[in-house]
Amino acid sequence: QQQVKQSPQSLIVQKGGISIINCAYENTAFDYFPWYQQFPGKGPALLIAIRPDVSEKKEGRFTISFNKSAKQFSLHIMDSQPGDSATYFCAASDSSYKLIFGSGTRLLVRP
Amino acid sequence: DGGITQSPKYLFRKEGQNVTLSCEQNLNHDAMYWYRQDPGQGLRLIYYSQIVNDFQKGDIAEGYSVSREKKESFPLTVTSAQKNPTAFYLCASKADPSGANVLTFGAGSRLTVL
């Protein structure tokens, strides 16, 4: 019930392509869905977040798509760049203190 | 610059030794957290503190201890009771304990048990 399932585990995309990472959850009490980006040897940093009252949120090349009925959300990176190569974590939380993280996706964007 | 400072960045420990990881923040955030990161497992919550002199166990608190004597500081002790302590440890903070879970992370400390 508390899990957030993330896929794929790793992803290789050519420069200029679209990177898509998917997450699914079970707990319908979740009301906040952030994505974090982590570079090697660094801590994660908040990339973009969405609440379930909207189906899509876009910030630059990064878009979250949210499907409340399917309990799924995804991150799309348009025009992927080598500098986007990092590990991406989806997460979810309800009104409590706790943020539940997915297992992470390692993205490699080839030049 | 405001942020979270974790030290040391790398730490080696012999089996049976306790080690303490430091976490200091100058963001004036009330809530602080410790996460453990292992390959392919995401981030798992060890302990969190919403206010000075108060803290609660997370999902994997066994073998760990914390203190919160100052708002700025939330050190984590990895004790000899932790069966598999080799991991990347992340400290985080949040401005408002009751607000949205927007966490700011430190750069992490990598602990290796020899």
Side-chain angles (χ1 to χ4, degrees):
Chain A
Q1 186 84 3
Q2 288 292 319
Q3 280 188 326
V4 176
K5 295 184 179 180
Q6 183 172 346
S7 63
Q9 188 174 12
S10 62
L11 181 62
I12 299 175
V13 174
Q14 290 296 124
K15 179 182 176 182
I18 302 173
S19 304
I20 302 174
I21 305 170
N22 300 299
C23 286
Y25 64 97
E26 289 295 324
N27 188 348
T28 55
F30 287 153
D31 62 359
Y32 178 68
F33 302 89
W35 285 88
Y36 281 80
Q37 179 188 55
Q38 184 182 31
F39 294 104
K42 305 293 185 184
L46 179 66
L47 184 63
I48 187 173
I50 197 169
R51 292 199 180 271
D53 52 343
V54 296
S55 60
E56 185 176 281
K57 183 173 182 180
K58 184 176 181 179
E59 289 184 2
R61 296 184 294 108
F62 300 91
T63 300
I64 300 179
S65 296
F66 186 81
N67 186 329
K68 189 174 182 179
S69 61
K71 291 185 283 188
Q72 296 175 346
F73 58 109
S74 59
L75 176 69
H76 292 64
I77 306 174
M78 312 299 287
D79 186 27
S80 298
Q81 299 297 312
D84 297 331
S85 297
T87 299
Y88 293 81
F89 292 96
C90 63
S93 73
D94 53 19
S95 57
S96 73
Y97 65 91
K98 202 169 178 179
L99 199 56
I100 309 296
F101 285 88
S103 55
T105 296
R106 183 173 292 184
L107 171 65
L108 175 63
V109 181
R110 289 199 167 136
Chain B
D1 286 337
I4 297 177
T5 301
Q6 289 188 240
S7 62
K9 189 167 180 63
Y10 299 96
L11 185 61
F12 298 89
R13 184 194 98 176
K14 292 182 180 179
E15 283 192 25
Q17 289 181 336
N18 292 355
V19 294
T20 297
L21 308 180
S22 171
C23 177
E24 301 281 331
Q25 55 102 353
N26 61 2
L27 299 166
N28 200 33
H29 284 179
D30 289 309
M32 297 186 74
Y33 303 76
W34 274 105
Y35 284 88
R36 170 179 171 142
Q37 183 176 9
D38 296 282
Q41 292 195 47
L43 281 67
R44 293 181 291 167
L45 183 64
I46 305 173
Y47 268 98
Y48 72 102
S49 168
Q50 295 183 296
I51 197 169
V52 174
N53 292 322
D54 186 50
F55 49 83
Q56 285 79 41
K57 293 181 179 180
D59 298 318
I60 55 165
E62 185 176 352
Y64 300 97
S65 65
V66 294
S67 63
R68 187 84 187 277
E69 297 177 0
K70 299 186 300 181
K71 187 176 184 177
E72 308 80 37
S73 178
F74 191 40
L76 174 73
T77 297
V78 184
T79 75
S80 57
Q82 169 50 232
K83 301 297 182 191
N84 184 20
T86 294
F88 191 50
Y89 291 88
L90 288 159
C91 180
S93 68
K94 185 174 81 167
D96 176 5
S98 61
N101 282 320
V102 180
L103 300 184
T104 300
F105 284 88
S109 293
R110 185 168 298 281
L111 172 64
T112 302
V113 174
L114 303 173

